[in-house]
Amino acid sequence: MADGLRIVAPGVATTLQDAGRRGYLRFGISGSGAMDLDLLALANALVGNPADAAGIEMAMLGPTLVCEAEVCRVALAGASFAMALNGRAVDPYTAYDLRRGDRLNLGAPSRGLRAWLAVAGGFAVAPMLGSVSTHTRTRLGGLDGTPLAAGDLLPLRAPEPVGRPPTLPHAHRPRFGSSIRVVLGPQADSFMEEGLRTFLSAPYTLTARADRMGCHLDGPPIAHADGFNIVSDGIVNGSIQVPGHGRPLILLADRHTTGGYPKIATVVSADFGRLAQVRPGETIRFESVTVDEAQSLARDAKSALTARLAALVPAGGGDLDSGFLLSCNLIGGVVSANHIGSVA
């Protein structure tokens, strides 16, 4: 039997996600992938993986897993999920070497919504259309295109860890904010000036209708200028549609690829990570920035991730050894090409 991690209890919305599948939007297949690629990269760095290796994404309530390998190094990055190893509380942003029979329990987060668990060597799961990311509506990726379930075994590709387990010092750990920056458009002219002012000044609350496809917001309605239907056109990660009821709908990683509601704005890539951590019932505000400012924010986010990766130290102190550092192929093309968000 293959070495792996056994799912004892799946938690909520627990799926396998990597950097996503690219090049299939014209076929109506969205990219999927981790809701925050920077946090996935950070979890992978802690176990010595490339930035785009698949990890376990969880939301609201984490899974319980049992190690079925001689040794398996794991690390969690993201929201502050309660985390226990064999009943003993342990910290996120720190790598741990599990032994056969060890039990890792991930409860509910005290703040934030999502986190990513990486495993040294990654999972031996066959990609579909170039990715193992799970897209449940089309049943692509993962083990069978569905969220992980009790009894599932996630086979390990190369479970032997390299070097000493690292940690990210508390001073460098990410903090999440509720202000979401946007670039207006591409159909901002479909809204009254009063509607634009409402969108940029009013608080909006994330409703329970929120998942990896998108999130519905509740708040003051936004006035359209001349109806709420357009000829369907492309939708990107972070597109904000305003249907007939006048309340924003933010499209996310598992979004449909085209839509016929006007898009008032697009979330900047540097704030995808912030948006991924907003919980139902929490309030956000939108702030308008220019395209140049959005590009500057993206560069700042990349620099912040680079600084965090450079700040990793062994959990027990000292320096990371060269074997571990060589195994972390993170600062080159993988992070640059796949960067979508900030954990700042």
Side-chain angles (χ1 to χ4, degrees):
M1 182 178 294
D3 288 340
L5 284 179
R6 180 75 63 181
I7 305 293
V8 176
V12 176
T14 305
T15 58
L16 280 182
Q17 300 292 337
D18 56 20
R21 51 185 57 84
R22 300 176 182 276
Y24 296 96
L25 293 177
R26 64 188 183 277
F27 303 116
I29 300 172
S30 57
S32 297
M35 292 279 281
D36 187 334
L37 290 186
D38 282 359
L39 284 177
L40 176 64
L42 190 51
N44 275 318
L46 286 161
V47 297
N49 288 347
D52 58 350
I56 300 174
E57 180 178 285
M58 62 199 74
M60 298 176 63
L61 180 68
T64 297
L65 312 103
V66 169
C67 178
E68 296 189 4
E70 290 307 308
V71 62
C72 172
R73 178 169 292 177
V74 301
L76 185 79
S80 54
F81 281 75
M83 188 175 180
L85 177 56
N86 296 328
R88 177 178 62 88
V90 292
D91 289 333
Y93 298 103
T94 300
Y96 299 94
D97 289 341
L98 309 187
R99 306 292 173 176
R100 190 176 297 276
D102 282 350
R103 187 182 186 96
L104 182 67
N105 178 262
L106 295 155
S110 59
R111 53 188 173 82
L113 182 66
R114 291 183 173 89
W116 291 264
L117 186 78
V119 176
F123 298 105
V125 176
M128 297 184 69
L129 301 180
S131 169
V132 304
S133 287
T134 309
H135 187 275
T136 58
R137 285 173 172 80
T138 56
R139 296 189 70 114
L140 285 173
L143 295 183
D144 59 3
T146 62
L148 296 174
D152 284 347
L153 180 70
L154 295 172
L156 303 179
R157 190 174 303 281
E160 189 65 32
V162 176
R164 300 167 61 191
T167 187
L168 181 66
H170 283 271
H172 296 277
R173 296 182 185 184
R175 291 178 292 274
F176 311 114
S178 58
S179 175
I180 303 299
R181 292 161 292 192
V182 300
V183 173
L184 291 177
Q187 285 103 31
D189 58 355
S190 295
F191 301 90
M192 304 284 287
E193 285 296 327
E194 174 190 350
L196 291 171
R197 287 195 296 270
T198 298
F199 173 69
L200 294 173
S201 63
Y204 286 92
T205 301
L206 188 72
T207 72
R209 295 181 63 192
D211 58 15
R212 285 179 46 84
M213 182 176 179
C215 52
H216 293 256
L217 302 177
D218 192 18
I222 298 165
H224 294 86
D226 185 22
F228 57 88
N229 288 305
I230 62 171
V231 176
S232 291
D233 65 359
I235 291 174
V236 300
N237 200 357
S239 289
I240 305 177
Q241 292 182 319
V242 183
H245 53 58
R247 292 171 181 84
L249 166 61
I250 309 178
L251 283 306
L252 302 172
D254 286 357
R255 67 198 179 277
H256 44 283
T257 57
T258 62
Y261 296 130
K263 295 174 284 295
I264 193 168
T266 305
V267 177
V268 304
S269 65
D271 283 357
F272 287 172
R274 291 185 183 190
L275 189 57
Q277 298 298 344
V278 179
R279 301 162 72 149
E282 292 183 341
T283 297
I284 63 176
R285 289 181 179 271
F286 296 106
E287 176 188 347
S288 176
V289 299
T290 66
V291 171
D292 286 345
E293 289 171 329
Q295 291 172 342
S296 178
L297 290 169
R299 290 190 291 270
D300 291 345
K302 180 182 176 183
S303 296
L305 174 59
T306 301
R308 288 194 171 99
L309 299 178
L312 296 179
V313 296
D319 296 322
L320 291 174
D321 61 50
S322 58
F324 175 83
L325 294 173
L326 286 172
S327 70
C328 295
N329 179 24
L330 288 160
I331 307 300
V334 173
V335 169
S336 299
N338 295 328
H339 173 77
I340 60 167
S342 170
V343 289

